Amino acid sequence: MADTTMKATSLDALICQTNPDAHANPPTKHLINLLRGWPAPALLPASQLKSAAEYVLSDPAISVPVLQYGIDPGYQPLREEIAKWLSGIYQYHDAPEPRPPRSEGEGCIRADEITITGGASQALACVLQSFTDPGYTRAVWVVAPCYFMGCAIFEDNGFRGRLRALPEDEGGVDVTVLEELIRKCDAEVWEHRPSKSPSPHRKLYRHVIYLVATSANPSGKTLSLARRKALVHLAREHDALIISDDVYDLLQWPVNVTSESPPVTSSPLPPSPLPPKTPLPLLSQIDASLPPSAHNPLGKTFSHAISNASFSKLVGPGIRTGWIHGTADFAHGFSVTGTNRSGGAASQFAAAVVWRALSTGEIGAWVDWTVRPALRRRHGIILGEVARELAPLGVAVWGGNGVDGAGGENHGLEVYGGYFVWLTLPEGVDAEVVAQRARAEEELVIAPGRIFEVAGDEAAARFPRNVRLSFSWVDEEDIVEGVRRLGRVLRRMRDGEDLDVVGGSVAEAGAQVFK
């Protein structure tokens, strides 16, 4: 049975793979990495962060507290600023009055519903520590293809062998299928042996549902509002906690295919506001708008859906600062996780720097004027090159969502977001072989679909013909060149050409994979 350790090892091997004749015949091509999901250096706001840090450090009234241990829920000015900022972005009106009622002047998201984290990965680990127990929580349902590094976090928290793949359809997660699977799971004999005692500040959930609801990594699909509502109602019925990694919500744009080849980068890009009706409401907002769940302990209102968000894609992953949005009781329960109580909330100093940059409007302006326009252009470039180089070879690409999400009724405007495109290769073509040959023959690193299978439940959702390409990291010229290199590999495989540089089994398979 494969697991995330094996995935990580094979992935490292793919990246580090070298031509066996490299010493005798040094490669003439530079390496192009279309696997790496990092922001390009030009998308890191160093000067804005420098200005914010100088402001924070120049005033002892600010610098002394932020250089000390922080309070458990996180830096309070940032909690308040995030609540105000998100309230201006997420307008969810198709709902009853949230409970408890908002005070005058409050937005749809309140500061007491926000907890500061050390980023989405650290937050996921803390949620599992505080709100799940392998002796009580029956299964973790992971939408597949999945963010593969998330699987290891679940395994580290005792859920090895308990992750269950939920394959996407054209609209993302199929709630009807998930309901059937959960009912079957609940009907199985189960011996409850919880080892944690979460009360009075927390509770344990019977199921966990993990997904990226908007611009999913790797597929790019966005869950429609109708499916979001259905998923929340399902979670409430079965005492499940939905954990949605909402890291790409603010990085969405109208789809456009760039015809320039090679791309022209000298002229500044115009600002790119979010498309109309985006982002869709958070799953955590939909949950908070409903009456308290029947699964709540007396006097408490815990979430059945939380938003796990981060500044990594907006500011830079090294800032290691994010936030959880849920009910006030859930936010408090998260804040008293042992690691928070011991050292205070994560990223205290970084949180203060982010607060200053957010409160002055610099982060919002950076995203609108730099990050989103650049990603939109890069996405257009890669779509254009895929159409020219790969589509004639039978390669398909997920192009975008309607403004109502994937499979939504309104397709007048195609919307995309995030860092990646998801390719489907022709029948009979093994993405693993393509990735190995691309690395060996073309100095190109790509991500084969196998690494996005759910650890321990790979057979339930396999992706042998899929490839993920990142357009966020390399220069625009290398996006074009990388797709062209991939096209050359596929043509050689189609034509039965083997350069005999990958190794016996892979080289032998190359001539057959198009058959």
Side-chain angles (χ1 to χ4, degrees), residues 187-452:
E188 296 173 358
V189 176
W190 174 259
E191 185 176 357
H192 293 277
R193 289 186 175 180
S195 60
K196 299 179 183 179
S197 179
S199 59
H201 302 298
R202 294 168 288 193
K203 65 157 287 182
L204 299 177
Y205 293 85
R206 289 174 60 83
H207 297 273
V208 172
I209 303 167
Y210 177 65
L211 77 162
V212 181
T214 299
S215 304
N217 175 9
S219 73
K221 293 178 181 177
T222 292
L223 201 63
S224 69
L225 179 57
R227 290 204 183 191
R228 289 172 191 240
K229 291 179 178 179
L231 186 61
V232 168
H233 283 284
L234 176 65
R236 286 169 150 257
E237 179 181 354
H238 293 279
D239 194 19
L241 174 64
I242 303 168
I243 304 173
S244 179
D245 279 358
D246 296 325
V247 297
Y248 301 114
D249 283 42
L250 306 187
L251 300 179
Q252 299 182 77
W253 53 82
V255 173
N256 64 297
V257 180
T258 299
S259 59
E260 302 165 3
S261 183
V264 177
T265 58
S266 57
S267 58
L269 297 172
S272 179
L274 283 164
K277 299 184 179 180
T278 64
L280 290 172
L282 297 166
L283 289 158
S284 57
Q285 285 181 285
I286 297 171
D287 178 59
S289 73
L290 299 172
S293 163
H295 298 288
N296 278 317
L298 184 64
K300 297 289 185 179
T301 303
F302 287 105
S303 303
H304 282 283
I306 60 170
S307 174
N308 185 19
S310 171
F311 288 101
S312 292
K313 306 298 189 292
L314 307 176
V315 176
I319 206 76
R320 305 316 307 146
T321 303
W323 68 93
I324 286 280
H325 173 248
T327 63
D329 284 335
F330 189 96
H332 176 69
F334 179 92
S335 75
V336 297
T337 302
T339 51
N340 276 355
R341 303 223 80 171
S342 174
S347 305
Q348 171 79 346
F349 173 69
V353 174
V354 171
W355 157 74
R356 174 61 182 173
L358 187 61
S359 65
T360 60
E362 288 185 291
I363 288 179
W366 180 254
V367 172
D368 289 344
W369 286 81
T370 301
V371 180
R372 198 183 299 116
L375 292 174
R376 178 182 181 181
R377 176 181 172 83
R378 287 162 166 266
H379 179 242
I381 289 170
I382 202 167
L383 283 187
E385 208 59 33
V386 166
R388 281 185 291 273
E389 294 288 328
L390 305 184
L393 298 170
V395 177
V397 60
W398 173 258
N401 307 279
V403 292
D404 293 331
E409 296 180 359
N410 186 348
H411 287 283
L413 176 67
E414 292 296 309
V415 175
Y416 203 79
Y419 275 15
F420 312 103
V421 293
W422 186 238
L423 307 183
T424 301
L425 304 178
E427 289 283 352
V429 181
D430 188 336
E432 187 82 13
V433 175
V434 173
Q436 291 174 350
R437 289 192 58 161
R439 181 66 180 90
E441 298 173 13
E442 294 285 350
E443 290 292 315
L444 173 67
V445 182
I446 59 175
R450 184 181 64 82
I451 68 173
F452 304 102

Side-chain angles (χ1 to χ4, degrees), residues 133-164:
D133 185 329
Y136 182 86
T137 306
R138 303 194 66 157
V140 176
W141 305 92
V142 183
V143 177
C146 69
Y147 169 58
F148 65 97
M149 289 188 175
C151 293
I153 301 174
F154 288 105
E155 291 181 333
D156 284 350
N157 281 274
F159 291 101
R160 181 181 294 272
R162 304 267 288 284
L163 276 64
R164 299 289 179 263

Side-chain angles (χ1 to χ4, degrees), residues 56-123:
V56 167
L57 292 172
S58 65
D59 183 353
I62 301 175
S63 64
V64 171
V66 303
L67 292 174
Q68 297 283 9
Y69 293 109
I71 61 174
D72 296 345
Y75 189 57
Q76 184 63 22
L78 181 58
R79 296 176 73 202
E80 295 171 0
E81 196 62 39
I82 288 174
K84 182 172 71 173
W85 178 52
L86 296 182
S87 292
I89 294 171
Y90 292 96
Q91 300 295 326
Y92 182 36
H93 302 297
D94 184 23
E97 176 64 23
R99 293 169 171 74
R102 306 297 179 189
S103 302
E104 184 177 355
E106 282 189 316
C108 61
I109 293 175
R110 296 191 315 224
D112 64 354
E113 299 168 342
I114 299 291
T115 305
I116 304 304
T117 72
S121 297
Q122 183 262 359

